[in-house]
mmCIF file with all atom_site columns, all heavy atoms in Angstrom:
data_model
loop_
_atom_site.group_PDB
_atom_site.id
_atom_site.type_symbol
_atom_site.label_atom_id
_atom_site.label_alt_id
_atom_site.label_comp_id
_atom_site.label_asym_id
_atom_site.label_entity_id
_atom_site.label_seq_id
_atom_site.pdbx_PDB_ins_code
_atom_site.Cartn_x
_atom_site.Cartn_y
_atom_site.Cartn_z
_atom_site.occupancy
_atom_site.B_iso_or_equiv
_atom_site.pdbx_formal_charge
_atom_site.auth_seq_id
_atom_site.auth_comp_id
_atom_site.auth_asym_id
_atom_site.auth_atom_id
_atom_site.pdbx_PDB_model_num
ATOM 1   N N   . LEU A 1 51  ? 111.850 91.240  103.645 1.00 98.00 ? 315 LEU A N   1
ATOM 2   C CA  . LEU A 1 51  ? 110.793 90.261  103.872 1.00 98.00 ? 315 LEU A CA  1
ATOM 3   C C   . LEU A 1 51  ? 110.859 89.194  102.788 1.00 98.00 ? 315 LEU A C   1
ATOM 4   O O   . LEU A 1 51  ? 111.070 89.505  101.610 1.00 98.00 ? 315 LEU A O   1
ATOM 5   C CB  . LEU A 1 51  ? 109.404 90.907  103.830 1.00 98.00 ? 315 LEU A CB  1
ATOM 6   C CG  . LEU A 1 51  ? 109.099 92.059  104.798 1.00 98.00 ? 315 LEU A CG  1
ATOM 7   C CD1 . LEU A 1 51  ? 109.577 93.393  104.238 1.00 98.00 ? 315 LEU A CD1 1
ATOM 8   C CD2 . LEU A 1 51  ? 107.608 92.141  105.097 1.00 98.00 ? 315 LEU A CD2 1
ATOM 9   N N   . GLU A 1 89  ? 102.571 88.199  107.847 1.00 97.00 ? 353 GLU A N   1
ATOM 10  C CA  . GLU A 1 89  ? 101.526 87.604  107.018 1.00 97.00 ? 353 GLU A CA  1
ATOM 11  C C   . GLU A 1 89  ? 100.679 88.699  106.393 1.00 97.00 ? 353 GLU A C   1
ATOM 12  O O   . GLU A 1 89  ? 100.220 89.617  107.081 1.00 97.00 ? 353 GLU A O   1
ATOM 13  C CB  . GLU A 1 89  ? 100.635 86.664  107.832 1.00 97.00 ? 353 GLU A CB  1
ATOM 14  C CG  . GLU A 1 89  ? 99.580  85.966  107.000 1.00 97.00 ? 353 GLU A CG  1
ATOM 15  C CD  . GLU A 1 89  ? 98.812  84.908  107.787 1.00 97.00 ? 353 GLU A CD  1
ATOM 16  O OE1 . GLU A 1 89  ? 99.387  84.360  108.753 1.00 97.00 ? 353 GLU A OE1 1
ATOM 17  O OE2 . GLU A 1 89  ? 97.652  84.642  107.445 1.00 97.00 ? 353 GLU A OE2 1
ATOM 18  N N   . PHE A 1 90  ? 100.504 88.628  105.072 1.00 97.00 ? 354 PHE A N   1
ATOM 19  C CA  . PHE A 1 90  ? 99.653  89.550  104.332 1.00 97.00 ? 354 PHE A CA  1
ATOM 20  C C   . PHE A 1 90  ? 98.579  88.737  103.619 1.00 97.00 ? 354 PHE A C   1
ATOM 21  O O   . PHE A 1 90  ? 98.873  87.722  102.993 1.00 97.00 ? 354 PHE A O   1
ATOM 22  C CB  . PHE A 1 90  ? 100.445 90.339  103.276 1.00 97.00 ? 354 PHE A CB  1
ATOM 23  C CG  . PHE A 1 90  ? 101.563 91.176  103.826 1.00 97.00 ? 354 PHE A CG  1
ATOM 24  C CD1 . PHE A 1 90  ? 102.693 91.425  103.061 1.00 97.00 ? 354 PHE A CD1 1
ATOM 25  C CD2 . PHE A 1 90  ? 101.521 91.715  105.108 1.00 97.00 ? 354 PHE A CD2 1
ATOM 26  C CE1 . PHE A 1 90  ? 103.739 92.201  103.543 1.00 97.00 ? 354 PHE A CE1 1
ATOM 27  C CE2 . PHE A 1 90  ? 102.558 92.485  105.609 1.00 97.00 ? 354 PHE A CE2 1
ATOM 28  C CZ  . PHE A 1 90  ? 103.670 92.729  104.819 1.00 97.00 ? 354 PHE A CZ  1
ATOM 29  N N   . LEU A 1 116 ? 95.884  94.621  100.236 1.00 97.00 ? 380 LEU A N   1
ATOM 30  C CA  . LEU A 1 116 ? 96.132  93.604  101.244 1.00 97.00 ? 380 LEU A CA  1
ATOM 31  C C   . LEU A 1 116 ? 95.973  94.172  102.655 1.00 97.00 ? 380 LEU A C   1
ATOM 32  O O   . LEU A 1 116 ? 95.996  95.397  102.852 1.00 97.00 ? 380 LEU A O   1
ATOM 33  C CB  . LEU A 1 116 ? 97.550  93.032  101.100 1.00 97.00 ? 380 LEU A CB  1
ATOM 34  C CG  . LEU A 1 116 ? 97.991  92.485  99.745  1.00 97.00 ? 380 LEU A CG  1
ATOM 35  C CD1 . LEU A 1 116 ? 98.580  93.589  98.878  1.00 97.00 ? 380 LEU A CD1 1
ATOM 36  C CD2 . LEU A 1 116 ? 99.025  91.378  99.921  1.00 97.00 ? 380 LEU A CD2 1
ATOM 37  N N   . LYS A 1 117 ? 95.847  93.277  103.606 1.00 96.00 ? 381 LYS A N   1
ATOM 38  C CA  . LYS A 1 117 ? 95.929  93.641  105.012 1.00 96.00 ? 381 LYS A CA  1
ATOM 39  C C   . LYS A 1 117 ? 96.819  92.617  105.684 1.00 96.00 ? 381 LYS A C   1
ATOM 40  O O   . LYS A 1 117 ? 96.957  91.479  105.210 1.00 96.00 ? 381 LYS A O   1
ATOM 41  C CB  . LYS A 1 117 ? 94.549  93.663  105.665 1.00 96.00 ? 381 LYS A CB  1
ATOM 42  C CG  . LYS A 1 117 ? 93.860  92.303  105.716 1.00 96.00 ? 381 LYS A CG  1
ATOM 43  C CD  . LYS A 1 117 ? 92.515  92.403  106.423 1.00 96.00 ? 381 LYS A CD  1
ATOM 44  C CE  . LYS A 1 117 ? 91.826  91.038  106.495 1.00 96.00 ? 381 LYS A CE  1
ATOM 45  N NZ  . LYS A 1 117 ? 90.518  91.119  107.197 1.00 96.00 ? 381 LYS A NZ  1
ATOM 46  N N   . GLY A 1 118 ? 97.454  93.012  106.766 1.00 96.00 ? 382 GLY A N   1
ATOM 47  C CA  . GLY A 1 118 ? 98.329  92.060  107.423 1.00 96.00 ? 382 GLY A CA  1
ATOM 48  C C   . GLY A 1 118 ? 99.074  92.658  108.591 1.00 96.00 ? 382 GLY A C   1
ATOM 49  O O   . GLY A 1 118 ? 98.710  93.714  109.107 1.00 96.00 ? 382 GLY A O   1
ATOM 50  N N   . HIS A 1 119 ? 100.137 91.961  108.978 1.00 97.00 ? 383 HIS A N   1
ATOM 51  C CA  . HIS A 1 119 ? 100.902 92.403  110.152 1.00 97.00 ? 383 HIS A CA  1
ATOM 52  C C   . HIS A 1 119 ? 102.323 91.853  110.077 1.00 97.00 ? 383 HIS A C   1
ATOM 53  O O   . HIS A 1 119 ? 102.612 90.903  109.346 1.00 97.00 ? 383 HIS A O   1
ATOM 54  C CB  . HIS A 1 119 ? 100.234 91.913  111.430 1.00 97.00 ? 383 HIS A CB  1
ATOM 55  C CG  . HIS A 1 119 ? 100.310 90.422  111.609 1.00 97.00 ? 383 HIS A CG  1
ATOM 56  N ND1 . HIS A 1 119 ? 99.388  89.550  111.062 1.00 97.00 ? 383 HIS A ND1 1
ATOM 57  C CD2 . HIS A 1 119 ? 101.222 89.634  112.244 1.00 97.00 ? 383 HIS A CD2 1
ATOM 58  C CE1 . HIS A 1 119 ? 99.723  88.311  111.358 1.00 97.00 ? 383 HIS A CE1 1
ATOM 59  N NE2 . HIS A 1 119 ? 100.828 88.328  112.074 1.00 97.00 ? 383 HIS A NE2 1
ATOM 60  N N   . ILE A 1 120 ? 103.195 92.486  110.836 1.00 97.00 ? 384 ILE A N   1
ATOM 61  C CA  . ILE A 1 120 ? 104.523 91.961  111.111 1.00 97.00 ? 384 ILE A CA  1
ATOM 62  C C   . ILE A 1 120 ? 104.615 91.763  112.614 1.00 97.00 ? 384 ILE A C   1
ATOM 63  O O   . ILE A 1 120 ? 103.959 92.464  113.387 1.00 97.00 ? 384 ILE A O   1
ATOM 64  C CB  . ILE A 1 120 ? 105.641 92.914  110.628 1.00 97.00 ? 384 ILE A CB  1
ATOM 65  C CG1 . ILE A 1 120 ? 105.511 94.295  111.299 1.00 97.00 ? 384 ILE A CG1 1
ATOM 66  C CG2 . ILE A 1 120 ? 105.625 93.036  109.113 1.00 97.00 ? 384 ILE A CG2 1
ATOM 67  C CD1 . ILE A 1 120 ? 106.672 95.234  111.001 1.00 97.00 ? 384 ILE A CD1 1
ATOM 68  N N   . VAL A 1 133 ? 102.308 94.279  114.836 1.00 97.00 ? 397 VAL A N   1
ATOM 69  C CA  . VAL A 1 133 ? 102.173 95.605  114.251 1.00 97.00 ? 397 VAL A CA  1
ATOM 70  C C   . VAL A 1 133 ? 101.382 95.498  112.949 1.00 97.00 ? 397 VAL A C   1
ATOM 71  O O   . VAL A 1 133 ? 101.816 94.820  112.001 1.00 97.00 ? 397 VAL A O   1
ATOM 72  C CB  . VAL A 1 133 ? 103.551 96.238  113.970 1.00 97.00 ? 397 VAL A CB  1
ATOM 73  C CG1 . VAL A 1 133 ? 103.403 97.591  113.283 1.00 97.00 ? 397 VAL A CG1 1
ATOM 74  C CG2 . VAL A 1 133 ? 104.335 96.392  115.275 1.00 97.00 ? 397 VAL A CG2 1
ATOM 75  N N   . ALA A 1 134 ? 100.225 96.135  112.898 1.00 98.00 ? 398 ALA A N   1
ATOM 76  C CA  . ALA A 1 134 ? 99.372  96.074  111.711 1.00 98.00 ? 398 ALA A CA  1
ATOM 77  C C   . ALA A 1 134 ? 99.962  96.905  110.577 1.00 98.00 ? 398 ALA A C   1
ATOM 78  O O   . ALA A 1 134 ? 100.514 97.979  110.800 1.00 98.00 ? 398 ALA A O   1
ATOM 79  C CB  . ALA A 1 134 ? 97.973  96.569  112.050 1.00 98.00 ? 398 ALA A CB  1
ATOM 80  N N   . GLU A 1 135 ? 99.859  96.388  109.364 1.00 98.00 ? 399 GLU A N   1
ATOM 81  C CA  . GLU A 1 135 ? 100.263 97.100  108.165 1.00 98.00 ? 399 GLU A CA  1
ATOM 82  C C   . GLU A 1 135 ? 98.983  97.562  107.463 1.00 98.00 ? 399 GLU A C   1
ATOM 83  O O   . GLU A 1 135 ? 98.093  96.750  107.168 1.00 98.00 ? 399 GLU A O   1
ATOM 84  C CB  . GLU A 1 135 ? 101.056 96.189  107.235 1.00 98.00 ? 399 GLU A CB  1
ATOM 85  C CG  . GLU A 1 135 ? 102.242 95.514  107.909 1.00 98.00 ? 399 GLU A CG  1
ATOM 86  C CD  . GLU A 1 135 ? 103.549 96.262  107.715 1.00 98.00 ? 399 GLU A CD  1
ATOM 87  O OE1 . GLU A 1 135 ? 103.756 97.255  108.451 1.00 98.00 ? 399 GLU A OE1 1
ATOM 88  O OE2 . GLU A 1 135 ? 104.347 95.860  106.863 1.00 98.00 ? 399 GLU A OE2 1
ATOM 89  N N   . HIS A 1 136 ? 98.884  98.859  107.189 1.00 97.00 ? 400 HIS A N   1
ATOM 90  C CA  . HIS A 1 136 ? 97.665  99.427  106.618 1.00 97.00 ? 400 HIS A CA  1
ATOM 91  C C   . HIS A 1 136 ? 97.896  99.925  105.190 1.00 97.00 ? 400 HIS A C   1
ATOM 92  O O   . HIS A 1 136 ? 99.024  100.191 104.794 1.00 97.00 ? 400 HIS A O   1
ATOM 93  C CB  . HIS A 1 136 ? 97.180  100.600 107.474 1.00 97.00 ? 400 HIS A CB  1
ATOM 94  C CG  . HIS A 1 136 ? 96.947  100.254 108.910 1.00 97.00 ? 400 HIS A CG  1
ATOM 95  N ND1 . HIS A 1 136 ? 95.852  99.524  109.331 1.00 97.00 ? 400 HIS A ND1 1
ATOM 96  C CD2 . HIS A 1 136 ? 97.675  100.528 110.025 1.00 97.00 ? 400 HIS A CD2 1
ATOM 97  C CE1 . HIS A 1 136 ? 95.916  99.375  110.653 1.00 97.00 ? 400 HIS A CE1 1
ATOM 98  N NE2 . HIS A 1 136 ? 97.011  99.970  111.091 1.00 97.00 ? 400 HIS A NE2 1
ATOM 99  N N   . GLY A 1 137 ? 96.805  100.083 104.449 1.00 96.00 ? 401 GLY A N   1
ATOM 100 C CA  . GLY A 1 137 ? 96.882  100.655 103.109 1.00 96.00 ? 401 GLY A CA  1
ATOM 101 C C   . GLY A 1 137 ? 97.826  99.918  102.189 1.00 96.00 ? 401 GLY A C   1
ATOM 102 O O   . GLY A 1 137 ? 98.425  100.528 101.296 1.00 96.00 ? 401 GLY A O   1
ATOM 103 N N   . LEU A 1 138 ? 97.957  98.617  102.389 1.00 97.00 ? 402 LEU A N   1
ATOM 104 C CA  . LEU A 1 138 ? 98.910  97.835  101.591 1.00 97.00 ? 402 LEU A CA  1
ATOM 105 C C   . LEU A 1 138 ? 98.414  97.659  100.155 1.00 97.00 ? 402 LEU A C   1
ATOM 106 O O   . LEU A 1 138 ? 97.279  97.220  99.922  1.00 97.00 ? 402 LEU A O   1
ATOM 107 C CB  . LEU A 1 138 ? 99.122  96.466  102.216 1.00 97.00 ? 402 LEU A CB  1
ATOM 108 C CG  . LEU A 1 138 ? 100.058 96.379  103.427 1.00 97.00 ? 402 LEU A CG  1
ATOM 109 C CD1 . LEU A 1 138 ? 99.958  94.998  104.060 1.00 97.00 ? 402 LEU A CD1 1
ATOM 110 C CD2 . LEU A 1 138 ? 101.488 96.684  103.043 1.00 97.00 ? 402 LEU A CD2 1
ATOM 111 N N   . GLY A 1 158 ? 102.543 101.171 101.602 1.00 98.00 ? 422 GLY A N   1
ATOM 112 C CA  . GLY A 1 158 ? 101.675 101.012 102.752 1.00 98.00 ? 422 GLY A CA  1
ATOM 113 C C   . GLY A 1 158 ? 102.164 101.871 103.896 1.00 98.00 ? 422 GLY A C   1
ATOM 114 O O   . GLY A 1 158 ? 103.048 102.721 103.725 1.00 98.00 ? 422 GLY A O   1
ATOM 115 N N   . TYR A 1 159 ? 101.600 101.653 105.073 1.00 97.00 ? 423 TYR A N   1
ATOM 116 C CA  . TYR A 1 159 ? 102.056 102.378 106.251 1.00 97.00 ? 423 TYR A CA  1
ATOM 117 C C   . TYR A 1 159 ? 101.735 101.574 107.504 1.00 97.00 ? 423 TYR A C   1
ATOM 118 O O   . TYR A 1 159 ? 100.845 100.713 107.511 1.00 97.00 ? 423 TYR A O   1
ATOM 119 C CB  . TYR A 1 159 ? 101.426 103.775 106.322 1.00 97.00 ? 423 TYR A CB  1
ATOM 120 C CG  . TYR A 1 159 ? 99.931  103.788 106.598 1.00 97.00 ? 423 TYR A CG  1
ATOM 121 C CD1 . TYR A 1 159 ? 99.431  103.898 107.903 1.00 97.00 ? 423 TYR A CD1 1
ATOM 122 C CD2 . TYR A 1 159 ? 99.014  103.702 105.561 1.00 97.00 ? 423 TYR A CD2 1
ATOM 123 C CE1 . TYR A 1 159 ? 98.068  103.917 108.153 1.00 97.00 ? 423 TYR A CE1 1
ATOM 124 C CE2 . TYR A 1 159 ? 97.647  103.722 105.798 1.00 97.00 ? 423 TYR A CE2 1
ATOM 125 C CZ  . TYR A 1 159 ? 97.175  103.829 107.097 1.00 97.00 ? 423 TYR A CZ  1
ATOM 126 O OH  . TYR A 1 159 ? 95.822  103.839 107.336 1.00 97.00 ? 423 TYR A OH  1
ATOM 127 N N   . ASN A 1 160 ? 102.506 101.825 108.543 1.00 97.00 ? 424 ASN A N   1
ATOM 128 C CA  . ASN A 1 160 ? 102.233 101.266 109.858 1.00 97.00 ? 424 ASN A CA  1
ATOM 129 C C   . ASN A 1 160 ? 102.526 102.345 110.903 1.00 97.00 ? 424 ASN A C   1
ATOM 130 O O   . ASN A 1 160 ? 102.723 103.512 110.547 1.00 97.00 ? 424 ASN A O   1
ATOM 131 C CB  . ASN A 1 160 ? 103.037 99.980  110.105 1.00 97.00 ? 424 ASN A CB  1
ATOM 132 C CG  . ASN A 1 160 ? 104.528 100.194 109.952 1.00 97.00 ? 424 ASN A CG  1
ATOM 133 O OD1 . ASN A 1 160 ? 105.061 101.280 110.214 1.00 97.00 ? 424 ASN A OD1 1
ATOM 134 N ND2 . ASN A 1 160 ? 105.241 99.148  109.526 1.00 97.00 ? 424 ASN A ND2 1
ATOM 135 N N   . LYS A 1 161 ? 102.558 101.977 112.161 1.00 94.00 ? 425 LYS A N   1
ATOM 136 C CA  . LYS A 1 161 ? 102.720 102.986 113.204 1.00 94.00 ? 425 LYS A CA  1
ATOM 137 C C   . LYS A 1 161 ? 104.106 103.624 113.186 1.00 94.00 ? 425 LYS A C   1
ATOM 138 O O   . LYS A 1 161 ? 104.322 104.650 113.827 1.00 94.00 ? 425 LYS A O   1
ATOM 139 C CB  . LYS A 1 161 ? 102.433 102.373 114.565 1.00 94.00 ? 425 LYS A CB  1
ATOM 140 C CG  . LYS A 1 161 ? 103.430 101.325 115.011 1.00 94.00 ? 425 LYS A CG  1
ATOM 141 C CD  . LYS A 1 161 ? 102.890 100.531 116.200 1.00 94.00 ? 425 LYS A CD  1
ATOM 142 C CE  . LYS A 1 161 ? 102.518 101.434 117.350 1.00 94.00 ? 425 LYS A CE  1
ATOM 143 N NZ  . LYS A 1 161 ? 101.914 100.683 118.467 1.00 94.00 ? 425 LYS A NZ  1
ATOM 144 N N   . PHE A 1 162 ? 105.034 103.078 112.411 1.00 93.00 ? 426 PHE A N   1
ATOM 145 C CA  . PHE A 1 162 ? 106.368 103.655 112.328 1.00 93.00 ? 426 PHE A CA  1
ATOM 146 C C   . PHE A 1 162 ? 106.537 104.585 111.133 1.00 93.00 ? 426 PHE A C   1
ATOM 147 O O   . PHE A 1 162 ? 107.561 105.240 111.008 1.00 93.00 ? 426 PHE A O   1
ATOM 148 C CB  . PHE A 1 162 ? 107.425 102.546 112.273 1.00 93.00 ? 426 PHE A CB  1
ATOM 149 C CG  . PHE A 1 162 ? 107.264 101.529 113.372 1.00 93.00 ? 426 PHE A CG  1
ATOM 150 C CD1 . PHE A 1 162 ? 107.119 100.196 113.090 1.00 93.00 ? 426 PHE A CD1 1
ATOM 151 C CD2 . PHE A 1 162 ? 107.233 101.936 114.698 1.00 93.00 ? 426 PHE A CD2 1
ATOM 152 C CE1 . PHE A 1 162 ? 106.945 99.263  114.105 1.00 93.00 ? 426 PHE A CE1 1
ATOM 153 C CE2 . PHE A 1 162 ? 107.060 101.021 115.716 1.00 93.00 ? 426 PHE A CE2 1
ATOM 154 C CZ  . PHE A 1 162 ? 106.917 99.679  115.428 1.00 93.00 ? 426 PHE A CZ  1
ATOM 155 N N   . PHE A 1 165 ? 105.818 103.581 103.915 1.00 97.00 ? 429 PHE A N   1
ATOM 156 C CA  . PHE A 1 165 ? 106.923 102.828 103.320 1.00 97.00 ? 429 PHE A CA  1
ATOM 157 C C   . PHE A 1 165 ? 106.605 102.432 101.889 1.00 97.00 ? 429 PHE A C   1
ATOM 158 O O   . PHE A 1 165 ? 105.446 102.396 101.463 1.00 97.00 ? 429 PHE A O   1
ATOM 159 C CB  . PHE A 1 165 ? 107.256 101.585 104.149 1.00 97.00 ? 429 PHE A CB  1
ATOM 160 C CG  . PHE A 1 165 ? 106.098 100.647 104.387 1.00 97.00 ? 429 PHE A CG  1
ATOM 161 C CD1 . PHE A 1 165 ? 105.685 99.748  103.407 1.00 97.00 ? 429 PHE A CD1 1
ATOM 162 C CD2 . PHE A 1 165 ? 105.423 100.639 105.604 1.00 97.00 ? 429 PHE A CD2 1
ATOM 163 C CE1 . PHE A 1 165 ? 104.631 98.874  103.626 1.00 97.00 ? 429 PHE A CE1 1
ATOM 164 C CE2 . PHE A 1 165 ? 104.360 99.773  105.837 1.00 97.00 ? 429 PHE A CE2 1
ATOM 165 C CZ  . PHE A 1 165 ? 103.957 98.889  104.843 1.00 97.00 ? 429 PHE A CZ  1
ATOM 166 N N   . LEU A 1 167 ? 107.600 99.325  98.959  1.00 98.00 ? 431 LEU A N   1
ATOM 167 C CA  . LEU A 1 167 ? 108.037 97.943  98.839  1.00 98.00 ? 431 LEU A CA  1
ATOM 168 C C   . LEU A 1 167 ? 108.544 97.704  97.427  1.00 98.00 ? 431 LEU A C   1
ATOM 169 O O   . LEU A 1 167 ? 107.892 98.091  96.453  1.00 98.00 ? 431 LEU A O   1
ATOM 170 C CB  . LEU A 1 167 ? 106.880 96.982  99.131  1.00 98.00 ? 431 LEU A CB  1
ATOM 171 C CG  . LEU A 1 167 ? 106.292 97.017  100.547 1.00 98.00 ? 431 LEU A CG  1
ATOM 172 C CD1 . LEU A 1 167 ? 104.995 96.215  100.592 1.00 98.00 ? 431 LEU A CD1 1
ATOM 173 C CD2 . LEU A 1 167 ? 107.288 96.474  101.560 1.00 98.00 ? 431 LEU A CD2 1
ATOM 174 N N   . LYS A 1 198 ? 111.740 96.842  102.144 1.00 98.00 ? 462 LYS A N   1
ATOM 175 C CA  . LYS A 1 198 ? 110.881 97.916  102.639 1.00 98.00 ? 462 LYS A CA  1
ATOM 176 C C   . LYS A 1 198 ? 111.718 99.158  102.935 1.00 98.00 ? 462 LYS A C   1
ATOM 177 O O   . LYS A 1 198 ? 112.698 99.087  103.680 1.00 98.00 ? 462 LYS A O   1
ATOM 178 C CB  . LYS A 1 198 ? 110.149 97.457  103.906 1.00 98.00 ? 462 LYS A CB  1
ATOM 179 C CG  . LYS A 1 198 ? 109.257 98.518  104.537 1.00 98.00 ? 462 LYS A CG  1
ATOM 180 C CD  . LYS A 1 198 ? 108.688 98.040  105.866 1.00 98.00 ? 462 LYS A CD  1
ATOM 181 C CE  . LYS A 1 198 ? 107.611 97.010  105.676 1.00 98.00 ? 462 LYS A CE  1
ATOM 182 N NZ  . LYS A 1 198 ? 106.954 96.642  106.981 1.00 98.00 ? 462 LYS A NZ  1
ATOM 183 N N   . TYR A 1 200 ? 111.328 103.016 104.424 1.00 96.00 ? 464 TYR A N   1
ATOM 184 C CA  . TYR A 1 200 ? 110.458 104.000 105.082 1.00 96.00 ? 464 TYR A CA  1
ATOM 185 C C   . TYR A 1 200 ? 110.703 105.379 104.471 1.00 96.00 ? 464 TYR A C   1
ATOM 186 O O   . TYR A 1 200 ? 111.852 105.800 104.279 1.00 96.00 ? 464 TYR A O   1
ATOM 187 C CB  . TYR A 1 200 ? 110.707 104.009 106.580 1.00 96.00 ? 464 TYR A CB  1
ATOM 188 C CG  . TYR A 1 200 ? 110.034 102.856 107.295 1.00 96.00 ? 464 TYR A CG  1
ATOM 189 C CD1 . TYR A 1 200 ? 110.726 101.671 107.541 1.00 96.00 ? 464 TYR A CD1 1
ATOM 190 C CD2 . TYR A 1 200 ? 108.702 102.938 107.687 1.00 96.00 ? 464 TYR A CD2 1
ATOM 191 C CE1 . TYR A 1 200 ? 110.103 100.591 108.164 1.00 96.00 ? 464 TYR A CE1 1
ATOM 192 C CE2 . TYR A 1 200 ? 108.074 101.874 108.318 1.00 96.00 ? 464 TYR A CE2 1
ATOM 193 C CZ  . TYR A 1 200 ? 108.776 100.711 108.552 1.00 96.00 ? 464 TYR A CZ  1
ATOM 194 O OH  . TYR A 1 200 ? 108.153 99.645  109.168 1.00 96.00 ? 464 TYR A OH  1
#
Side-chain angles (χ1 to χ4, degrees):
L315 303 84
E353 183 173 333
F354 300 150
L380 306 88
K381 64 178 181 179
H383 69 274
I384 58 173
V397 177
E399 306 265 80
H400 304 285
L402 281 170
Y423 69 93
N424 57 31
K425 67 194 304 176
F426 309 124
F429 56 80
L431 296 169
K462 178 186 286 186
Y464 281 94

